[in-house]
Amino acid sequence: MPANRNAPSQNAAATTSAVPAHVAIIMDGNGRWAKQRGLPRLEGHRRGSRTVRAITTAAFELGVRYLTLYAFSAENWKRPQDEVGGLMRLLEFFLKQELKTLHKNKIRLRTIGRTDALPAPVRKQLAATIAATADHARGTLVLALNYGSRDEIADAANAYAAAVAAGREPAGGCTWETFARHLYTADIPDPDLVIRTSGETRVSNFLLMQSAYAEFIFTPVLWPDFTKEDFAAALETYARRERRFGLTSEQIKGKLEVRN
Ligand code: FPP
């Protein structure tokens, strides 16, 4: 069973560093970007996928180790069929195009979400890209695909119950640490920073449990317009924040001891 790497450290100050290890992004505003220009929504997604490329490169250059992108939510299936189909084709194209860059930059690809429900060509391309980049260790790009936090929690509860039945987890001994071993993100640290573009200030069923102690930055910039400078500015804002994990400012600064 993988060791749980999600648990907040007892020494909270030790977990805080200037560059967030894990940044998660709710990429929002593609549709509005297109509408403002009288273009079809899919053109907004196409421009959004260019931003994905730029921000992925920038994030790992700036020292981020994990970048999670909310690329397709469990609720997005309800969008018009041509938009869903277009997004799937865009994803497949992106994966084909990106492989070279992922190799060059030593970035591993991962997914979270119920990817079994994705169209076969996307699943095939995902499997190939994940396998081809599995040994890269400079950073991890996590695509949230057909992802919903509530689905993830339900899936984890079922997996946990099965593990108890098989004697792999203690009956009646569920803690956050043992439960988190069954989340899609079991071997991914919790996000330190969650960014949402486009001025919306919602979490939209994204990493609800994992972002319990994350910092949030909401920017009015629409995703296709979001630049590496905007991303770097978000990291600067993050670096100025004090993460207290329930402690006092004095405890975080080491002026007061932390009681156990
Ligand atoms: C939200 O904008 C965005 C999405 C639902 C999809 C995100 C997809 C991409 C950025 C491009 C494809 C992804 C990859 C990884 C290549 P919205 O359509 O809800 O915008 P709106 O709120 O302005 O309508």
Side-chain angles (χ1 to χ4, degrees), residues 27-33 41 45 48-49 52 70-72 76 79 83 87 90-91 94 143 223:
M27 309 181 286
D28 198 6
N30 295 348
R32 272 162 289 167
W33 184 94
R41 290 181 59 82
H45 294 312
S49 71
V52 168
Y70 205 3
F72 194 83
N76 284 154
R79 292 191 172 201
E83 183 170 344
L87 274 168
L90 205 52
L91 185 59
F94 168 84
L143 293 181
W223 178 250

Side-chain angles (χ1 to χ4, degrees), residues 45-238:
H45 294 312
R46 233 172 261 130
R47 290 295 294 257
S49 71
R50 280 200 214 165
T51 306
V52 168
R53 263 189 215 118
I55 297 305
T56 302
T57 303
F60 296 115
E61 273 174 12
L62 289 167
V64 170
R65 300 300 309 276
Y66 292 83
L67 177 69
T68 299
L69 301 176
Y70 205 3
F72 194 83
S73 79
E75 289 75 28
N76 284 154
W77 296 111
K78 296 178 198 143
R79 292 191 172 201
Q81 208 180 344
D82 62 336
E83 183 170 344
V84 172
L87 274 168
M88 291 301 147
R89 283 190 296 279
L90 205 52
L91 185 59
E92 191 189 340
F93 180 72
F94 168 84
L95 291 167
K96 280 185 186 151
Q97 291 269 305
E98 237 9 49
L99 184 58
K100 231 196 249 171
T101 314
L102 293 171
H103 272 320
K104 195 178 88 188
N105 295 333
K106 303 270 176 279
I107 305 301
R108 177 171 70 131
L109 181 77
R110 281 277 314 267
T111 60
I112 52 172
R114 292 179 175 170
T115 52
D116 289 0
L118 297 171
V122 177
R123 288 203 315 270
K124 194 173 152 209
Q125 203 56 48
L126 275 174
T129 313
I130 290 168
T133 61
D135 292 333
H136 293 332
R138 181 165 159 252
T140 303
L141 172 64
V142 184
L143 293 181
L145 293 167
N146 190 20
Y147 177 85
S149 214
R150 289 178 171 179
D151 285 346
E152 179 183 29
I153 292 163
D155 287 349
N158 285 322
Y160 188 88
V164 170
R168 285 182 280 110
E169 292 285 9
C174 185
T175 63
W176 170 245
E177 283 70 30
T178 59
F179 184 73
R181 291 200 280 242
H182 301 277
L183 294 169
Y184 306 147
T185 53
D187 56 349
I188 298 173
D190 286 344
D192 301 291
L193 171 64
V194 178
I195 300 172
R196 183 172 189 149
T197 58
S198 91
E200 307 292 350
T201 47
R202 292 185 288 275
V203 177
S204 299
N205 205 13
F206 184 51
L207 300 175
L208 297 182
M209 309 298 282
Q210 296 89 337
S211 61
Y213 285 97
E215 294 297 318
F216 283 79
I217 291 179
F218 298 100
T219 166
V221 179
L222 303 176
W223 178 250
D225 289 332
F226 191 72
T227 61
K228 59 182 199 261
E229 288 76 21
D230 293 321
F231 184 81
L235 294 203
E236 278 169 31
T237 301
Y238 169 87

